[in-house]
Amino acid sequence: MEIHPAKAPRLRTRVLQNTAALLGGRGISIVLSAGASVLLTRYLGSERLGQFGAIYAYLGLFTWLTTLGIEPVLVREISKERESASNLLHTAIILASFLCVGALLATILIAPWAGFNGHLRTLLILAALEFVLIPFRLPGIIFQVDLRQWYAATINVVRQGVWFGVVIILWLLGASLFYVVLGRLLATAVESALTWAYSRQFLSAGKKFLRERSGKILLHSIPIAFTTLLSMVYLRIDQVMLHKMASDFVLGQYVAAVRVSELFEFLPAALIVSMAPVLSVSVDEPLRFQDYTGKLFRYFMIAASAICVFMSAGAGLIVRVLYGKQFLPAGPLLAVLIWSEVAVFFATVVYNVLIAKNQQWLLPIPTLVGAAVNVALNLVLIPRYGAAGAAWATLVSYTVAWTGVLFFFKETRSFIWQGMRFALPITGLALFAVACAFFVSTHDIIRILTASIIFGLSLPLFGFIKRSDMTDALAVIRSSLGNS
């Protein structure tokens, strides 16, 4: 997959088309996911929602073990050796099958020490069965490599549609939490089956296990696996600690805020997924690679800050409309948590750049620091401030881990600084817009409009939105209309 100058415009259009397709599919998915989340939150109430959140937060601590992070390594390798895709994926599936069984057993054995006993442990075992479905989703990597993201987007829409339908049925029947967990398992099974079925048409029938190559793949994946483990610690440990140190009712309020903020975390993955193969093959062209990286940082910081402006200015109204008055304490939590999305978007670029440059050995460093800071802050803040302390611990740990730590390494200093040149001023404009909105009015809708207008006008004024961005967008629209 070489990038020739003559093919660059067509490649750019292809990447933008795939990104647009994925964003469109994810847009539908987010509506379905939001609908399911709202119904589920209202239906379960704070305490049962806390139990539901604790179960999946705990499982998140073991997801690293299911594949040892081989997915991005496979994307890189298959992008360079498309003819070996079937063999590489077959090798990965066999490895993942053993790993998933190990993760399932570890999850069950350690559960009592994490406070999951009796009925909760039964629910945990049922939920953990999702691990055995992971190998069936690995072939979906080929959609990313071949820039056919509409397959992944469509399958995800179907999955969210099934989950939404299940939640509606359970809500009407007044079913217990057991059936909620079972319904989520069903939706995951549908997604896995569709991914397996449709990915096979892009892979050759002949395949073999690459014994020598498997060792190299695992060796390259170990830093990513460790990074994933540490990421899950500072992404989910707050919920596990609230379950142990506070109560499931308090955790339920926190989970409600997290569910809203995490609705937008599909965006960085959707925006980067078409660019990951391109980054992998353009890394040997420094100027082109730097141009791609700069654009990614700029687009990602604009997207993240725009989300923060809207959600922070209207957090109280958003929670009240979605979940009702019983979840009003989640409003201030959301107003804090949403700003961690800046670090999440920033980290997505850093993560993919490091993998493209074969520097994944650096990935554990920011995640290790982030996990340590998160756990330490949670131990101090949760006993004093409860869920609010966990929210601030999350924001601080995310920011420190991904926007500061790698600046001190010469291998990463240049592109981290490249990203910070966009992150600092754009986030500053977002904070200024929100501050102005709260100064202007106490009415939620007026605050949202004021903050959004100020931020939107400031982007072209300070040169963060350029005419070329509009040209690219129009090219995608014309191309999409021409292909329809």
Side-chain angles (χ1 to χ4, degrees):
M1 186 178 173
E2 296 182 8
I3 302 175
H4 298 288
K7 296 181 179 180
R10 192 172 73 177
L11 176 63
R12 182 178 65 179
T13 302
R14 183 78 180 273
V15 169
L16 289 171
Q17 281 180 322
N18 275 270
T19 303
L22 194 57
L23 285 173
R26 292 295 179 90
I28 298 172
S29 295
I30 198 173
V31 172
L32 294 171
S33 177
S37 180
V38 169
L39 284 178
L40 193 64
T41 301
R42 287 175 171 266
Y43 162 53
L44 292 178
S46 187
E47 184 171 356
R48 286 198 298 171
L49 180 65
Q51 294 173 349
F52 184 78
I55 288 170
Y56 287 99
Y58 173 75
L59 291 180
L61 299 177
F62 294 87
T63 54
W64 67 278
L65 189 57
T66 58
T67 62
L68 286 182
I70 60 179
E71 296 96 326
V73 175
L74 285 173
V75 171
R76 185 185 68 201
E77 297 302 307
I78 296 174
S79 296
K80 296 179 178 179
E81 302 176 41
R82 179 60 179 83
E83 68 281 358
S84 302
S86 294
N87 293 332
L88 287 167
L89 284 170
H90 179 66
T91 302
I93 289 168
I94 292 175
L95 292 173
S97 298
F98 287 101
L99 291 169
C100 288
V101 173
L104 178 61
L105 294 176
T107 300
I108 296 171
L109 290 174
I110 301 174
W113 282 273
F116 294 96
N117 297 293
H119 180 58
L120 281 182
R121 191 181 184 193
T122 302
L123 294 177
L124 179 65
I125 294 172
L126 178 63
L129 292 178
E130 285 190 15
F131 286 164
V132 302
L133 299 172
I134 289 175
F136 295 97
R137 298 201 296 274
L138 277 180
I141 287 172
I142 203 64
F143 301 144
Q144 181 178 357
V145 174
D146 286 354
L147 297 181
R148 301 176 188 270
Q149 292 302 329
W150 48 86
Y151 282 95
T154 302
I155 290 171
N156 190 51
V157 168
V158 173
R159 183 211 188 280
Q160 295 299 338
V162 171
W163 173 232
F164 189 31
V166 166
V167 171
I168 291 174
I169 293 171
L170 295 176
W171 174 57
L172 293 174
L173 295 177
S176 66
L177 189 56
F178 175 86
Y179 292 100
V180 175
V181 175
L182 183 63
R184 174 165 164 154
L185 181 62
L186 172 63
T188 304
V190 170
E191 177 190 23
S192 302
L194 290 174
T195 301
W196 179 270
Y198 282 97
S199 63
R200 310 312 295 173
Q201 62 183 303
F202 302 110
L203 299 169
S204 59
K207 53 185 178 293
K208 62 179 180 179
F209 182 78
L210 305 175
R211 181 175 299 179
E212 294 184 4
R213 195 71 176 273
S214 66
K216 293 180 180 179
I217 291 174
L218 288 176
L219 184 63
H220 288 175
S221 301
I222 287 174
I224 300 173
F226 188 50
T227 300
T228 304
L229 168 62
L230 296 174
S231 296
M232 286 298 103
V233 168
Y234 73 79
L235 284 170
R236 292 289 178 260
I237 197 65
D238 48 1
Q239 296 182 38
V240 176
M241 293 177 73
L242 279 170
H243 171 71
K244 286 281 292 182
M245 300 171 66
S247 68
D248 286 331
F249 179 85
V250 172
L251 174 57
Q253 298 290 333
Y254 186 77
V255 170
V258 169
R259 283 182 173 274
V260 179
S261 65
E262 288 186 348
L263 283 174
F264 300 96
E265 291 189 1
F266 81 94
L267 271 173
L271 290 168
I272 200 72
V273 73
S274 295
M275 281 298 298
V278 178
L279 287 173
S280 295
V281 298
S282 65
V283 70
D284 294 327
E285 303 177 65
L287 292 179
R288 187 183 299 276
F289 188 80
Q290 186 178 21
D291 180 59
Y292 287 150
T293 304
K295 286 183 177 179
L296 284 172
F297 275 124
R298 181 162 59 88
Y299 294 154
F300 273 45
M301 291 303 93
I302 290 173
S305 297
I307 291 169
C308 292
V309 166
F310 183 87
M311 300 299 293
S312 182
L317 175 64
I318 292 166
V319 168
R320 188 165 65 251
V321 170
L322 292 179
Y323 301 139
K325 294 182 179 180
Q326 62 174 324
F327 284 98
L328 282 179
L333 302 178
L334 175 60
V336 174
L337 281 171
I338 197 64
W339 289 96
S340 64
E341 294 304 304
V342 173
V344 171
F345 278 61
F346 193 93
T348 302
V349 180
V350 173
Y351 182 90
N352 283 272
V353 168
L354 289 178
I355 290 173
K357 297 174 72 174
N358 200 21
Q359 293 179 335
Q360 59 268 17
W361 61 273
L362 286 164
L363 286 172
I365 296 171
T367 46
L368 177 61
V369 173
V373 171
N374 192 292
V375 172
L377 288 177
N378 275 312
L379 286 172
V380 173
L381 297 178
I382 287 178
R384 297 182 181 181
Y385 305 107
W392 280 104
T394 296
L395 174 59
V396 172
S397 61
Y398 281 30
T399 304
V400 169
W402 289 105
T403 63
V405 174
L406 289 177
F407 186 78
F408 296 98
F409 293 82
K410 63 180 181 180
E411 294 90 348
T412 54
R413 185 175 297 123
S414 61
F415 84 83
I416 292 295
W417 175 240
Q418 183 184 26
M420 292 301 291
R421 284 197 303 243
F422 294 109
L424 289 174
I426 293 174
T427 306
L429 291 174
L431 289 168
F432 176 75
V434 173
C436 289
F438 275 91
F439 179 77
V440 167
S441 175
T442 57
H443 194 281
D444 292 311
I445 295 177
I446 295 177
R447 278 206 307 264
I448 293 172
L449 290 174
T450 302
S452 300
I453 291 170
I454 292 174
F455 181 68
L457 292 176
S458 66
L459 291 175
L461 181 64
F462 287 90
F464 293 115
I465 291 182
K466 303 177 181 179
R467 182 174 298 178
S468 60
D469 301 325
M470 302 300 177
T471 304
D472 289 342
L474 289 174
V476 172
I477 295 172
R478 293 193 191 101
S479 180
S480 300
L481 292 175
N483 292 334
S484 61

